[in-house]
Amino acid sequence: MPQRTSLGVARVLHDGAVHSGAEIARALGVSRAAVHKSVEALRRAGFTIRAAAGEGYALQAPPDRLVEEAVVPALPAGAFGTAGWEHHDVLDSTNTRAAALAREGAPHGTVVVAEEQTAGRGRRGRTFVSPPGTGVYLSVVLRPPLRPTQATRLTFCGALAVMDAARAHGVETRMKWPNDVFAGERKLAGILTELSADMDRIHQAIVGIGVNVNTPARAFPRDVRALATSVREAAGHAVDRPGVVAALLASLTAWYTMALTDFPGVLREVRARTLTLGRNVRVVDGTQVLEGVAEDLDDDGALWVGTEAGRVRVVAGDVELAGGAGGGSARARQ
Ligand code: BTN
């Protein structure tokens, strides 16, 4: 209960204006003592809240932590994260935790976020390096009315949402099929969608999103350093992590709705923002290597590559640009 009151108080104070204790208490239907207690709890959680004698409280700064009270007040009604939020200082992987919550019946749109991951996972069994307190590592529990073959839609929504959030913080990015976001030549974020499904229906999907936000280069292992970047590095200044997460979740919710109602519209946007299309690529899938021109994406998000032997439909693999941005990322751990 105190936690819900804290969230309510954080919502009221989110506009930065001064609100009296009596006004907050009335709005939330709690006592002034309960408001006072919640303000103290928020301060302990790192919120800077000014108390002006006889006037009330005003939020000066949220903490640099991705707690529910710092992010959810900035979300539109019904956005992912408003139905459930779990924050951890450290987790092995937010995807693993979100899958467990989903099995226990967590509502659609529940978000799991961690300040650090000790076993962050990337696609194809890779590690996603997740140093503490600077990046964004979150997973969303979804129950989409889609077939497993349509799951790439969800990955695309994740990538578009990251790109929107980066743009809102002054950074232009491009997507590398199927799940990476690049700023210039280096990877800024990755998406990992994992499913529990039968042949023709997804039961639950976990969309895991990892973004290097304020991550300093030195936080990455040496081999990753040359391949990874961060919003901070690309923008030239540190950015507000709760603000990045709020922008990302608001955008993800909107893209998800569009993916169910107008997927061609999503695909148009993905095509426009993908750096691989129209370029010479090398697709590596295990020991299979394919070379040709990345021509188009189809309705299931698969990549069509024009090779000397004809057009090939690619559903899995790593794409390297022949001599351009993203080249080399196939072997990157980040
Ligand atoms: C990739 O680069 O191949 C995908 C990276 C996905 C990383 C995110 S971080 C949050 C979520 N939890 C994980 O273990 N992985 C995803």
Side-chain angles (χ1 to χ4, degrees):
M1 181 61 192
Q3 210 203 336
R4 301 317 294 176
T5 308
S6 298
L7 180 58
V9 172
R11 278 189 206 281
V12 175
L13 294 181
H14 177 66
D15 62 7
V18 177
H19 297 272
S20 73
E23 174 202 338
I24 302 172
R26 222 176 14 256
L28 301 179
V30 299
S31 66
R32 284 177 66 172
V35 170
H36 181 73
K37 254 179 145 173
S38 290
V39 168
E40 287 309 312
L42 288 168
R43 283 185 174 140
R44 280 195 301 279
F47 286 77
T48 309
I49 298 172
R50 182 169 63 85
E55 281 183 60
Y57 304 102
L59 176 64
Q60 292 188 304
D64 184 23
R65 279 165 60 75
L66 303 175
V67 292
E68 184 175 20
E69 292 85 350
V71 179
V72 171
L75 291 176
F80 297 149
T82 55
W85 189 273
E86 209 183 84
H87 172 265
H88 295 262
D89 285 328
V90 186
L91 269 184
D92 49 359
S93 156
T94 57
N95 265 32
T96 305
R97 176 64 190 148
L101 282 180
R103 282 193 298 274
E104 290 163 17
H108 173 79
T110 297
V111 170
V112 177
V113 58
E115 300 292 332
E116 175 184 6
Q117 293 184 122
T118 52
R121 293 199 302 277
R123 228 167 44 101
R124 306 170 79 76
R126 296 196 185 96
T127 299
F128 189 82
V129 181
S130 313
T134 51
V136 164
Y137 321 113
L138 68 80
S139 301
V140 187
V141 174
L142 299 175
R143 303 182 196 286
L146 295 174
R147 295 186 300 279
T149 51
Q150 296 172 314
T152 307
R153 293 185 186 200
L154 306 175
T155 305
F156 287 171
C157 291
L160 291 170
V162 168
M163 298 174 85
D164 290 345
R167 178 175 285 172
H169 289 80
V171 173
E172 287 303 317
T173 55
R174 304 286 282 168
M175 185 174 157
K176 186 165 81 69
W177 184 91
N179 72 320
D180 287 338
V181 176
F182 273 64
E185 307 265 317
R186 301 206 215 149
K187 179 160 165 174
L188 182 102
I191 322 296
L192 177 68
T193 302
E194 296 180 306
L195 304 180
S196 153
D198 58 31
M199 289 298 281
D200 50 26
R201 195 169 70 88
I202 294 177
H203 297 297
Q204 66 206 30
I206 307 300
V207 176
I209 302 178
V211 192
N212 306 324
V213 178
N214 289 325
T215 323
R218 65 173 183 284
F220 295 117
R222 210 170 279 279
D223 56 332
V224 172
R225 238 172 258 176
L227 304 163
T229 187
S230 64
V231 179
R232 176 188 187 148
E233 188 178 21
H237 54 83
V239 296
D240 156 39
R241 278 192 314 143
V244 169
V245 174
L248 193 160
L249 289 172
S251 169
L252 181 64
T253 310
W255 286 117
Y256 175 80
T257 303
M258 192 162 170
L260 300 185
T261 54
D262 174 22
F263 184 59
V266 174
L267 213 44
R268 263 198 305 281
E269 203 54 36
V270 171
R271 283 192 185 104
R273 300 193 200 182
T274 295
L275 57 80
T276 15
L277 288 182
R279 310 275 297 267
N280 284 319
V281 293
R282 193 162 178 270
V283 186
V284 183
D285 185 10
T287 54
Q288 306 259 66
V289 179
L290 193 76
E291 286 183 335
V293 177
E295 290 182 347
D296 201 5
L297 301 170
D298 69 20
D299 286 353
D300 285 333
L303 180 70
W304 283 89
V305 180
T307 72
E308 280 180 1
R311 295 182 86 220
V312 180
R313 185 174 186 267
V314 179
V315 292
D318 288 311
V319 177
E320 296 172 31
L321 286 178
S329 65
R331 284 173 297 280
R333 289 198 301 144
Q334 183 75 330

